[in-house]
Amino acid sequence: MSRASLARALLALVVLVLSAYFTLTTPPRLGLDLRGGTQIVLQTKDSSTTKADSRSTDRALEVLRKRVDALGVSEPTLARSGDRRIIVELPGVQDPREAAKVIGQTAELTFHTVLAADAPVGQGKASTDESGQPLRLGPTALTGDGVKDAASSLDEFGASRYVGVDFTGTGDRAWSTLTANAACAPPGDPARRVAIVLDGKVISSPQVDPSVQCGVGIVGGRTSITGTFTAQEAEDLSVLIKGGALPVPVEVLEQRTVGPTLGADAIDASGKAALIGLTLTALFLIVVYRLVGLLAAVGLASYGLISYGALVALGATLTLPGLAGLLLSAGLAIDANVLVFERAREEQAAGHPRGLRGALQNGFTKAWSAIADSNVTTLIAAGLLFLFASGPVRGFAVTLCIGVLASMVSALVVCRVLTETAMARGPVLKRPGLTGLATLGRFRNWLIRRSPDLMRHRRRWLAISAVAVVLATSGIAVRGLNFGVEFTGGRLVEYSTSTTVPVEQARAAVAQAGFPRAVVQQSGDDDITVRTGQISNDQQVRIQEALQAGGGSVTKLRDELVGPTLGDELRQKALIALAVALAAQLAYLAVRFRWSFGAAAVLAMLHDVLIVLGVFAWLGRPIDGVFLAATLTIIGVSVNDSIVTLDRIRETWAGKRTAPLAEVANEAILQTAPRTINTGIGAMFILAALTVLGGDSLTDFAFALLLGLVVGTYSSAFTATPLLLAFDRHSSSPPPMPKRASGPSRPSGRGPARVPQDSGAVV
């Protein structure tokens, strides 16, 4: 074994052992869409005294953390996003009304003197007390900063609730002075009252007890806020006072609630789809590539271990789209294996001097550039998705990046170690037909015999592509795009009913509840989705109660609330992401190839995106954040296919510099056709399983990718290549120079490697 092979074997062993260790010892961090709970996205706003920036948002974050801790939520997560946003995750919270009320309230607590009845008109600030009676407030005598603690308690008779407040040293002195002055007014005079104000509203204005002496006040550092509190109201008030005031106001931009059953069902459905899809893919590899296909299937299993181990080791959050990202990355691992095996078949057919082992080594070497370029373009798409997406879709970007890197390790390290070790065994070399590399394969041989001149009809292929784009985009003009609430703002709630409720009945119930413009549809088997404009949590409960009147028990499966500001922002970000993705891919391909190659690949990619978008428009499927993830992934997958074809055109053209480019391109398409089709079929098994079994949450995502895969397979040969031929007519650049020829790979050591049929003689 050469030093390089030994190093790869040791690297593979270390990676697999570490992955197994983290898999067995580290529990996954599930997103709320998988374990259930509520996510609230807040944005800080400028106040009259404080500007909303990263520092004030950090202070607000600490106040919110105290409030959430006081709510008793298990394992909450709070984090700042950007300069002015705070993401609050509350696992297990299914009714967000109280949480949003407590979390989002500014809680600016102040204590005021109350002006006497005979005070001059216009003096003080007009207000009303807790019973609605007019009241004029004097200047602030004490703020919430002077409060040390607060707790809700029952009075000595157990009849009413009150909130006990403990003051700090400074707060105690201010409170004593405030009550000492109030005690000098006669009983019944408004000036004997003390107003306790929360966010500009008087929550309590008690009279100072007659036992309190004028000029002495209440001492001891403690007081009680009484009123007609319910147990929940008293508890909420104590939480707000204890947590302190937010330094700046906050507004709710987005709120998502996922029921625990929906997350469990999604995990179960995704697991079944993954098992069926990966099993069919592994069987396909074994049928086509025999022994090396079997070893590639083992490498595919190692990909699952490596990607999952890396995910839990990094502490990344696993979301439902993230699960799809891991499965999609498995398709990239298949792509790398197929590229290598097809190259090895060509090397073996050309009579490589070192037999199957040398052919396999050269296959890895020659396939490297296409594999690297394909994965880089996918990483570009994933990076843009992470920057411009939000919510669980960002989890897809993270897991896609992890999956891409894990696929390269499994395909280029683990699978290489396994296949090279197998090729060095005598029994394998004696039966080359079992390896799967001894011949070019039936499909490739059929292409060689027929040798169709596909590029002779390049104008016909471009015409077909143009017609497909026109038909698809006409759907956008005729039917429009069905933007989801992420892009339009509003609220989307999905309910499950214990008894089947017809859509017409559900629509009538929602209209009677006061929402005649709500869009009510059936989802899944018996579930009901209701889409409205901006409505409050209390209004959502009214809709649920209206459905419950005719549908028995009603369970909220998911609830998405997106503010209009965030909807506009996400829509703009989506357009920017698509534009930047096209520009970034064009720039990368122009550097790696030449401008005509890059322009052809990017236009073919745009062709694929427009067709998928048009099909979704015709079918009325939602255009939301998940679709954005699918679109950017389609961009990566489409470029992958085009890169493989263009890379082979460049290589073949360099070896035949005097041949017409159309002839070179045709030859390259025929050479890469087995790879394109085999990779497409392998990935198709996974995506088809996700489409059928992935549940409502992943159906549209998987369908978009499946459609993009089919269209991309066509466009890589019949759109990108004809465009390249058209562009090259306007290019003055000469054909690429051939790469410096390199002999068969040799392991380090003394002399060339020996195979059983090799005598060792060297000329």
Side-chain angles (χ1 to χ4, degrees):
M1 180 179 287
S2 68
R3 290 182 183 177
S5 299
L6 181 60
R8 279 191 291 269
L10 290 176
L11 176 61
L13 180 62
V14 170
V15 170
L16 290 174
V17 169
L18 287 176
S19 300
Y21 170 77
F22 285 113
T23 298
L24 295 174
T25 60
T26 308
R29 182 181 175 186
L30 299 180
L32 290 183
D33 57 342
L34 291 180
R35 59 176 171 167
T38 295
Q39 181 191 69
I40 302 174
V41 179
L42 305 170
Q43 179 164 289
T44 56
K45 300 187 296 183
D46 295 339
S47 68
S48 57
T49 58
T50 307
K51 180 177 177 56
D53 54 18
S54 59
R55 295 182 61 184
S56 60
T57 302
D58 281 335
R59 297 201 306 273
L61 177 62
E62 293 307 313
V63 174
L64 291 174
R65 198 182 303 278
K66 293 178 183 178
R67 295 184 184 179
V68 171
D69 290 341
L71 287 173
V73 179
S74 176
E75 298 181 359
T77 301
L78 291 90
R80 177 163 65 87
S81 176
D83 288 339
R84 299 175 53 195
R85 287 186 183 165
I86 298 173
I87 299 176
V88 183
E89 293 187 349
L90 307 173
V93 174
Q94 297 301 311
D95 185 357
R97 284 181 295 173
E98 290 300 326
K101 178 181 176 183
V102 173
I103 289 173
Q105 195 163 345
T106 305
E108 183 181 359
L109 184 69
T110 54
F111 298 77
H112 297 256
T113 59
V114 178
L115 301 184
D118 57 354
V121 177
Q123 186 177 351
K125 180 182 178 182
S127 184
T128 56
D129 63 13
E130 60 272 30
S131 61
Q133 298 301 314
L135 204 67
R136 280 191 290 163
L137 304 180
T140 300
L142 174 63
T143 67
D145 293 335
V147 176
K148 180 170 63 176
D149 196 9
S152 168
S153 303
L154 280 169
D155 63 14
E156 57 184 326
F157 303 106
S160 61
R161 289 271 175 182
Y162 71 93
V163 178
V165 180
D166 293 326
F167 295 103
T168 63
T170 304
D172 180 23
R173 290 189 292 272
W175 177 249
S176 299
T177 302
L178 175 62
T179 53
N181 293 332
C184 296
D189 192 320
R192 195 176 178 88
R193 300 168 72 178
V194 174
I196 304 173
V197 181
L198 183 68
D199 287 343
K201 180 182 179 181
V202 177
I203 58 173
S204 183
S205 56
Q207 289 261 356
V208 175
D209 192 81
S211 63
V212 178
Q213 298 180 13
C214 175
V216 177
I218 301 174
V219 295
R222 181 176 176 81
T223 192
S224 300
I225 302 175
T226 59
T228 55
F229 298 128
T230 65
Q232 187 63 53
E233 289 171 344
E235 184 65 30
D236 290 346
L237 179 57
S238 67
V239 168
L240 291 170
I241 296 175
K242 183 177 180 180
L246 289 171
V248 285
V250 296
E251 65 174 337
V252 177
L253 290 184
E254 183 180 14
Q255 176 183 298
R256 297 175 184 269
T257 300
V258 178
T261 56
L262 185 64
D265 292 344
I267 294 176
D268 182 59
S270 300
K272 291 179 180 177
L275 180 62
I276 294 174
L278 292 176
T279 300
L280 291 175
T281 300
L283 290 175
F284 174 75
L285 288 174
I286 294 171
V287 170
V288 175
Y289 296 107
R290 303 187 182 182
L291 176 61
V292 293
L294 175 62
L295 298 177
V298 176
L300 194 59
S302 74
Y303 156 78
L305 179 64
I306 294 170
S307 58
Y308 183 80
L311 185 76
V312 296
L314 295 174
T317 301
L318 182 60
T319 63
L320 186 57
L323 283 175
L326 290 178
L327 292 177
L328 181 63
S329 300
L332 297 177
I334 298 168
D335 184 30
N337 288 327
V338 171
L339 275 169
V340 170
F341 296 158
E342 290 296 329
R343 280 289 195 170
R345 281 178 166 182
E346 293 176 6
E347 293 288 318
Q348 177 66 13
H352 196 281
R354 292 183 54 227
L356 284 173
R357 188 175 183 184
L360 182 64
Q361 289 177 342
N362 263 25
F364 277 102
T365 301
K366 291 190 174 183
W368 163 249
S369 64
I371 294 172
D373 287 333
S374 298
N375 284 280
V376 167
T377 54
T378 303
L379 289 174
I380 290 174
L384 292 172
L385 187 61
F386 182 82
L387 290 175
F388 292 104
S390 65
V393 177
R394 297 189 78 179
F396 168 78
V398 173
T399 53
L400 182 60
C401 289
I402 292 174
V404 167
L405 298 176
S407 70
M408 293 187 71
V409 174
S410 66
L412 301 179
V413 179
V414 177
C415 188
R416 182 165 185 173
V417 169
L418 294 175
T419 52
E420 287 186 348
T421 301
M423 292 302 106
R425 304 278 78 83
V428 173
L429 295 175
K430 291 178 181 178
R431 299 175 180 83
L434 295 178
T435 64
L437 304 179
T439 65
L440 289 174
R442 293 180 180 178
F443 180 57
R444 181 70 175 275
N445 287 328
W446 178 82
L447 288 175
I448 292 174
R449 289 195 305 269
R450 297 292 300 270
S451 187
D453 187 2
L454 299 176
M455 289 301 99
R456 184 179 65 180
H457 307 293
R458 53 184 177 272
R459 288 181 180 155
R460 180 185 302 171
W461 307 131
L462 286 177
I464 293 174
S465 297
V467 169
V469 169
V470 169
L471 289 176
T473 53
S474 63
I476 302 175
V478 174
R479 301 202 55 177
L481 296 176
N482 178 23
F483 287 110
V485 292
E486 286 179 81
F487 294 151
T488 62
R491 194 159 195 159
L492 178 68
V493 190
E494 182 176 1
Y495 302 98
S496 175
T497 58
S498 58
T499 59
T500 302
V501 179
V503 175
E504 294 78 10
Q505 180 181 338
R507 193 172 290 126
V510 172
Q512 289 178 0
F515 306 95
R517 292 181 143 187
V519 178
V520 182
Q521 296 175 321
Q522 185 174 359
S523 64
D525 296 330
D526 297 316
D527 299 336
I528 297 294
T529 60
V530 179
R531 179 173 174 176
T532 67
Q534 300 292 326
I535 62 173
S536 66
N537 291 323
D538 291 333
Q539 289 174 313
Q540 181 277 133
V541 172
R542 279 170 47 196
I543 293 176
Q544 185 170 345
E545 291 173 348
L547 291 174
Q548 194 163 338
S553 175
V554 175
T555 304
K556 184 171 64 175
L557 297 179
R558 65 185 172 111
D559 182 358
E560 300 178 9
L561 170 64
V562 179
T565 303
L566 186 62
D568 292 340
E569 178 185 317
L570 291 177
R571 191 164 60 249
Q572 293 172 2
K573 281 187 173 182
L575 295 174
I576 294 173
L578 292 176
V580 173
L582 293 173
Q585 304 285 9
L586 177 59
Y588 178 79
L589 294 174
V591 171
R592 288 289 290 125
F593 295 90
R594 57 173 67 185
W595 76 266
S596 56
F597 283 66
V602 168
L603 285 177
M605 172 176 53
L606 182 60
H607 157 276
D608 300 344
V609 170
L610 288 175
I611 289 179
V612 174
L613 188 64
V615 170
F616 265 59
W618 280 114
L619 297 178
R621 298 287 184 103
I623 307 297
D624 50 16
V626 173
F627 180 81
L628 174 62
T631 302
L632 289 177
T633 308
I634 289 169
I635 288 176
V637 172
S638 174
V639 172
N640 289 354
D641 288 339
S642 298
I643 280 176
V644 172
T645 304
L646 296 176
D647 186 67
R648 182 59 68 92
I649 292 175
R650 179 178 61 179
E651 179 185 333
T652 306
W653 198 12
K656 298 181 176 181
R657 306 187 77 229
T658 59
L661 181 56
E663 177 185 324
V664 171
N666 193 75
E667 181 180 343
I669 290 174
L670 298 182
Q671 290 173 347
T672 56
R675 170 265 162 198
T676 302
I677 293 176
N678 289 344
T679 298
I681 292 175
M684 217 170 283
F685 285 131
I686 298 174
L687 294 176
L690 274 178
T691 302
V692 176
L693 301 174
D696 291 339
S697 302
L698 286 180
T699 296
D700 288 333
F701 176 79
F703 175 70
L705 287 178
L706 186 61
L707 184 60
L709 179 66
V710 173
V711 177
T713 300
Y714 168 87
S715 68
S716 64
F718 299 107
T719 304
T721 308
L723 285 173
L724 169 63
L725 297 178
F727 292 150
D728 193 73
R729 288 185 302 177
H730 305 285
S731 174
S732 58
S733 301
M737 295 297 293
K739 291 184 179 179
R740 214 173 145 188
S742 57
S745 303
R746 289 188 181 184
S748 59
R750 298 181 181 179
R754 297 267 305 271
V755 294
Q757 296 86 352
D758 186 4
S759 66
V762 179
V763 178

